[in-house]
Amino acid sequence: MSRQPVPLPAEHIPPGTPEWRTADVRRWLDAVPARWAHPLFAFLALAVSVAWEVAAAPVPACTSAEPCGSDWTGLAVAVVLVLSLYWVWRQPRLAIGGLAVTVVALAAEDGVSAFARPSALAYLLAAGFAVAGLVHRLAVAGRQRALALEAAGSAVQRLPDAARTFRRGRLSFVLAAVFLAVAGFGVWQALGVADAYEQRAAEAAHLSGEVTAVDEDEGVLTVTAEGRTRRIETAFPEDFPVGTRVDLVVDGDGAVLVAEPYDAFGWELLVLGGSVAGLAFLANGVTGHLAARRLRREPLPVLHVLVREGEEDGRTYVFAADDTEGRRSVLCFHSLYASEDDEEEEEFDEEEFDGNDAASGEDADLRKIADILRGGGPTPPLREAVLYGAPYAGAEVAFVAREDEDDPEVAVECSVTAVKPALPEWRGRGPQRRERTSPRRSADEIAARMTPTAGLRVWRAHGFSRAIGLGLLLVQGGGVWAALDDGPSWSWLWLVPALPWLLTSVATALTWRITADRDGLWVTGAWRVRRVPWDVITSVRHHEDGIRVGRAKDSSVDLSPTGWAWLERRTGREPGAERVADEVRALLHRPDLRPDAEAGSGQQGMPVGPPLVALTVLWGAAVLLLL
């Protein structure tokens, strides 16, 4: 018997507040970004093109006329580039500006001809694709806002007093100050290294010599100047072949190349990391603070809804007012309690802290945070609530609801992360996650989608699984090359534990197969085909990106990896291996759906682990012959 939502006293529902009903909710959910605009695709395209450009772009050689030093302009562009990759997920408007800056910087450095390089052109196309997706997401957010305003009609109401004193951003501002101070310290140290060199160079002798030997492995040049031979470290030995004339700054027994006067790379890396983190926190703090101010400034549309706390992530999930069984959540956000005594509330950032870092001055907030950290527990009840503010992707909202049936008082909660559409195909957490990772979908429900058949039922590696296998195969090939590159060494020892795991994973991901016939399952893994009769199977489930077939007496039969469930969900697909596990479990509990045929030897599958071992040996031999 379903449990009724916790009611909200009538005096806390503003007159004329409309219910946000399922019909309106469906229209709102239909106005979501297209799959191609998901930030994951833009992020991957940008990351791959950036890596390609970094590897392929020409690097000017260090010379005495143009020595290598700290490139603060290039470092600033790198900061904007890394921030843009993050903002693609969190701050669409800032991401558009950041990507425009990086494209202009690339064109300003090498001219428009820079885009004649395939790698630079790829980055330009990736940036264009990302911007198109960001603009689409912003347009969709506007459409969602219009639909929410249409559902709310003329009903507007000012925020409750407690919500008007709620503040956001202090934690982000504090963290921004800390990281920006770290970046400032790095700048100070890097400038100190440069100043120390300038002082040393002013007092040292300046000589010219000839490179007589180059040790590229150690990064050392042997330079003869005025009858004396010196060994000088360099970051780019390939720029100074034997016979090259070089200028030296000599101070006693120490000498450095004029072309490479000092090395402040470590401090510059600190500046990069501190600046990226500090500016990211600063942007989040400013955005949250401004959004909260807009929420308090004027009367807001109100909607009568149902809310529930997420069992595993502590988010607040909003449901249609007539969805009294909580079947389909509409949107979600993290929230904290507000009270009239609060002068300022601190924020936590769901992407950076993954919902595990928040602060407030109230015991209720501490209990909420403890629930997020602890997870699990009984399913929280649905509660009637009044939602303040037009909900759309990226919006800030507040709501009023009772905590539970035993609490006569109502509580005001304000969002501390932006609103997100709670679409099950785009996320892997929250109330609907259990539909995917636990047997909430019964065998009868799965069986209703299946039709009896006399022929064999076969499930095999799908596209995502094969992509994982190909990726691991590239890792395996590159690892073998790297291990053998320097000849016999201790590095070969890592092959002992790593190669068997890689071989098994690659062979499984590429060609796993399950064949069901009248008597049981034929499970094809990396090394063998195992027979599992129906009468010994106790369970079939999707487990850690694999499929596990439990047996009554012996250990379970496992196939792993069979895909990447997280990425499949993020790209809007049902994990293939999860669907396979559901269907095999349905056959286990519904014998009438099992095939009538028996699988022959050619229909049982063939493991590819042994051929893969032979291929790996041949690859290793080829590497040794080529080196």
Side-chain angles (χ1 to χ4, degrees), residues 362-382:
E362 300 292 334
D363 291 341
D365 286 336
L366 296 177
R367 289 196 302 271
K368 176 187 280 284
I369 297 167
D371 290 341
I372 296 173
L373 292 169
R374 185 169 54 249
T379 301
L382 277 171

Side-chain angles (χ1 to χ4, degrees), residues 35-44 88-89 134 137 426 570:
R35 286 183 178 179
W36 66 267
H38 192 276
L40 176 65
F41 299 127
F43 178 87
L44 291 177
V88 163
W89 291 89
L134 293 166
R137 286 162 56 192
W426 286 106
R570 298 294 287 186

